[in-house]
């Protein structure tokens, strides 16, 4: 017998609470990745210093 | 699939965690002390670091400390579940699985070391990696469950952040950060043994060989006093070595007197209730002592930076 939240043959179906938690975690992961991108951008800019302007135009 | 099978599958595949649970894995309160001591190591170091790079370095050290906290909770989930103090942590409470904590801790360890290395230098990054390794492997996996000297040796991990902060600026380690290391290292036993004395039942139930459970209450009281006596000259050392000024000297002297008084109260306590109160006072007071020492160094550094700026401003106005 399947549990109430489990459909036949279509895997586990999330309850509303589980869906909300998953969405919260997804948002946190998205923020963390965006923060990491920004961090590496800032590190690159500060490491390069004025050399960042030294490029062929 | 059977109902039991479906339940197990659900428990295995579906996470119940909120982002806050992952933050709790980082032990934010421990992290705050790490951030503070690392910041002091970083600002006291000779040489200069761009403030933005310095802030990123502190962030990396904080995340590294948090990562070792997550790995500690991954490994210690079994004993956390039987101790009152830790039973509500995310893993024993069933909100985060051990696998999630392990992956999270490992990923953050790697990222923190890489970011510190890229931002500052690889000496600092190597020291941070060693700190995480020491806390997780040497302390958590080995010493914690096998010897009553667990927190004495394991305290080295908690004492390293100012050294990492110093190395982030200079790329090397000199006597000054070693003194800061020694202060935290020698502070750890009286601080944690005071807690262990009042929580010995909890530690006993979890099978952790803390000193009060192994050597007894009397020996622990003596050890607290002895370690406090060894700590005090190290607390005053920054003043005598010249990298702490008069303000630091005064704070260290007052703090030393207080620590000695609290240790003596534990040593001489005659009643069960008196001992409990003395232990709690030492536990909270020792945090204030450590905070005050490092804050005094930070205040002196800020004053040293602000004084020339203020006199220049005064000169411009007159």
């Amino acid at each position: 017998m399947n549990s109430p939240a489990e459909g036949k043959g279509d895997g586990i179906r999330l309850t509303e609470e589980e869906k909300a938690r998953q969405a919260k975690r997804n948002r946190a992961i998205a923020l963390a990745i965006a923060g990491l991108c920004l961090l590496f951008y800032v590190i690159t800019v500060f490491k390069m210093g004025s050399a960042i302007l030294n490029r062929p135009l | 699939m059977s109902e039991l099978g479906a339940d197990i599958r659900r428990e295995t595949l579906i996470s119940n965690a909120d982002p806050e649970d992952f933050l709790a894995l980082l032990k934010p309160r421990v992290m705050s002390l790490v951030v503070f001591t690392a910041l002091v190591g970083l600002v006291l170091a000779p040489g200069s670091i761009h403030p933005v790079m310095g802030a990123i370095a502190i962030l990396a050290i904080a995340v590294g400390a948090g990562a070792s906290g997550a790995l500690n909770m991954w490994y210690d989930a079994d004993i956390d579940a039987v101790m009152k103090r830790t039973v509500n942590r995310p893993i024993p409470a069933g909100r985060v699985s051990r696998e999630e904590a392990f992956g999270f801790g490992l990923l953050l360890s790697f990222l923190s070391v890489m970011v510190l290395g890229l931002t500052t230098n690889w000496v600092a990054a190597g020291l941070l990696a060693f700190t995480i390794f020491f806390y997780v492997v040497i302390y958590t996996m080995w010493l914690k469950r096998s010897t009553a000297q667990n927190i004495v040796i394991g305290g080295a991990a908690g004492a390293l952040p100012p050294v990492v902060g110093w190395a982030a600026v200079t790329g090397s380690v000199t006597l000054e950060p070693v003194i800061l290391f020694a202060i935290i290292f020698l502070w750890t036993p009286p601080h944690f043994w005071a807690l262990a004395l009042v929580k010995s039942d909890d530690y006993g139930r979890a099978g952790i060989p803390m000193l009060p459970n192994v050597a007894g209450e009397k020996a622990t009281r003596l050890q607290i006093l002895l370690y406090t006596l060894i700590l005090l000259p190290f607390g005053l050392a920054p003043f005598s070595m010249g990298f702490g000024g008069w303000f630091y000297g005064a704070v260290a002297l007052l703090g030393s007197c207080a620590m000695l008084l609290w240790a003596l109260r534990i040593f001489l306590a005659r009643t069960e209730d008196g001992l409990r109160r003395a232990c709690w006072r030492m536990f909270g007071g020792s945090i204030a002592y450590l905070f005050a020492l490092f804050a005094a160094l930070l205040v002196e550094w800020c004053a040293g930076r602000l004084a020339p700026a203020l006199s220049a401003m005064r000169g411009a106005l007159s």
Side-chain angles (χ1 to χ4, degrees):
Chain A
M1 194 183 150
N2 292 320
S3 69
E6 186 138 5
K8 222 176 195 173
D10 55 358
I12 296 169
R13 214 173 283 164
L14 299 183
T15 62
E16 286 309 310
E17 195 190 339
E18 286 166 345
K19 276 185 192 167
R21 285 213 162 106
Q22 190 182 51
K24 262 176 97 175
R25 288 197 304 274
N26 288 348
R27 278 196 293 274
I29 291 169
L31 268 174
I33 293 173
L36 203 60
C37 292
L38 185 69
L39 189 71
F40 277 99
Y41 177 76
V42 170
I43 292 172
T44 308
V45 169
F46 278 92
K47 277 268 162 191
M48 289 182 79
S50 58
I52 204 163
L53 300 169
N54 186 13
R55 61 194 169 90
L57 293 170
Chain B
M1 190 183 285
S2 71
E3 210 162 311
L4 179 66
D7 283 348
I8 291 171
R9 203 167 152 232
R10 167 168 286 276
E11 270 178 29
T12 320
L13 295 175
I14 307 298
S15 174
N16 280 320
D18 276 329
E20 293 82 3
D21 295 320
F22 284 94
L23 282 180
L25 285 178
L26 303 178
K27 298 190 178 177
R29 274 194 296 180
V30 178
M31 232 163 116
S32 60
L33 198 63
V34 167
V35 165
F36 185 57
T37 57
L39 175 71
V40 173
L42 187 130
V43 299
L44 287 185
S48 64
I49 185 169
H50 192 286
V52 174
M53 298 302 250
I56 295 174
I58 293 294
L59 176 72
I61 296 169
V63 172
S68 46
L71 290 170
N72 167 276
M73 286 199 208
W74 155 70
Y75 192 80
D76 277 350
D78 57 337
I79 52 179
D80 282 351
V82 292
M83 286 172 65
K84 272 187 222 153
R85 194 170 67 87
T86 53
V87 73
N88 286 323
R89 284 180 174 174
I91 303 177
R95 299 191 300 272
V96 176
S97 71
R98 287 189 73 179
E99 292 76 14
E100 284 174 311
F102 180 65
F104 184 61
L106 223 50
L107 175 72
L108 290 188
S109 300
F110 174 76
L111 281 176
S112 61
V113 171
M114 289 304 290
V115 167
L116 188 63
L118 290 169
T119 313
T120 59
N121 59 71
W122 294 101
V123 174
L127 278 167
L128 181 63
F130 177 73
T131 307
I132 297 169
F133 167 80
F134 198 91
Y135 186 69
V136 177
V137 178
I138 307 291
Y139 171 68
T140 304
M141 292 180 170
W142 179 31
L143 297 170
K144 187 171 178 178
R145 298 175 193 230
S146 60
T147 167
Q149 296 300 311
N150 47 16
I151 51 131
V152 179
I153 310 165
L160 275 166
V163 184
V164 182
W166 183 285
V169 179
T170 63
S172 64
V173 177
T174 51
L175 192 57
E176 292 92 336
V178 172
I179 293 293
L180 298 180
F181 168 89
I183 292 171
I184 307 175
F185 183 73
L186 293 166
W187 164 89
T188 310
H191 172 71
F192 278 106
W193 282 336
L195 177 72
L197 270 175
V198 285
K199 296 275 180 186
S200 60
D201 290 353
D202 229 12
Y203 285 113
R205 207 168 30 245
I208 304 172
M210 292 301 278
L211 195 65
N213 306 76
V214 176
E217 186 190 290
K218 205 175 157 191
T220 309
R221 293 189 200 201
L222 178 65
Q223 293 284 321
I224 289 175
L225 182 61
L226 290 177
Y227 269 94
T228 305
L229 287 171
I230 304 170
L231 165 67
L232 300 187
F234 280 91
L236 293 162
F239 172 68
S240 52
M241 286 176 65
F243 68 97
W246 284 103
F247 177 63
Y248 175 86
V251 170
L253 194 63
L254 273 174
S256 298
C257 293
M259 282 290 285
L260 192 60
L261 182 71
W262 297 325
L264 279 170
R265 274 189 183 160
I266 291 177
F267 186 67
L268 298 171
R270 294 192 176 189
T271 63
E272 192 74 17
D273 193 44
L275 178 63
R276 275 186 80 83
R277 271 188 281 130
C279 285
W280 280 122
R281 180 147 303 169
M282 168 60 101
F283 181 72
S286 55
I287 295 175
Y289 166 77
L290 192 68
F291 179 81
L293 292 193
F294 280 78
L297 288 172
L298 194 62
V299 165
E300 283 185 342
W301 178 84
C302 290
R305 292 285 162 126
L306 281 176
L310 283 176
S311 62
M313 208 187 291
R314 212 174 292 145
L317 288 172
S318 61

